Amino acid sequence: MKKLSMLLLTILLVSCNNHERNCKDFRTGKFEFTQNIDGKKNTSTFIRTEKLQIETYNGKTDTASVRWVNDCEFILQKLHPKNMKEQKAISMKILFTEKNSYTFEYAFVGSNNKQRGIVTKLE
């Protein structure tokens, strides 16, 4: 009886957490991503088309290819890597969306060290 009660409670909690995922709304456009690095707020802006992402961070611009795996997952691969680390592709997964933003999870392809972030759509 105790196990059944716990199972029902778990199902109830999971069903209440129904996040929206309108990933197609975020495939292309102009975006902004802000993260804290060593206690300092860092912001990058990027424009994403179906096949490219052009990002500007700290006054430097970089371009990556975009390969969509499905509506909510894509792989970024820098086109002009400057070192071995930049040669590694990054897996991006949109977890849920809101009106003008999405929460995503990212990691180097093959890595289990996933991080999360929030991106805001500007245009």
Side-chain angles (χ1 to χ4, degrees):
M1 184 67 174
K2 200 175 202 180
K3 289 182 182 181
L4 180 60
S5 297
M6 291 301 288
L7 177 63
L8 291 174
L9 180 62
T10 302
I11 291 172
L12 179 66
L13 290 174
V14 171
S15 66
C16 290
N17 196 8
N18 190 10
H19 291 292
E20 199 173 323
R21 282 184 77 183
N22 295 323
C23 300
K24 287 184 180 182
D25 295 345
F26 297 95
R27 283 180 78 106
T28 61
K30 184 175 182 179
F31 302 90
E32 181 177 85
F33 173 56
T34 302
Q35 63 182 338
N36 286 318
I37 300 175
D38 298 327
K40 186 179 176 191
K41 184 178 176 179
N42 294 284
T43 301
S44 66
T45 57
F46 57 94
I47 297 171
R48 185 167 51 231
T49 66
E50 285 291 326
K51 303 237 182 229
L52 290 176
Q53 180 166 302
I54 303 165
E55 180 176 4
T56 302
Y57 174 72
N58 280 342
K60 296 179 183 177
T61 301
D62 207 352
T63 305
S65 65
V66 176
R67 182 173 55 87
W68 287 92
V69 178
N70 59 46
D71 286 341
C72 295
E73 295 181 55
F74 60 97
I75 306 292
L76 286 178
Q77 180 74 54
K78 289 200 177 196
L79 294 181
H80 308 288
K82 294 173 182 59
N83 54 47
M84 293 294 285
K85 185 176 181 180
E86 288 186 0
Q87 288 181 4
K88 295 180 180 180
I90 301 173
S91 173
M92 312 283 276
K93 180 178 182 180
I94 298 174
L95 301 174
F96 55 91
T97 63
E98 293 184 18
K99 184 177 180 179
N100 68 336
S101 67
Y102 65 87
T103 299
F104 69 105
E105 185 175 77
Y106 64 100
F108 287 113
V109 172
S111 171
N112 290 326
N113 187 16
K114 297 179 181 175
Q115 297 181 35
R116 285 191 177 194
I118 298 174
V119 168
T120 303
K121 188 168 186 176
L122 302 175
E123 295 175 10

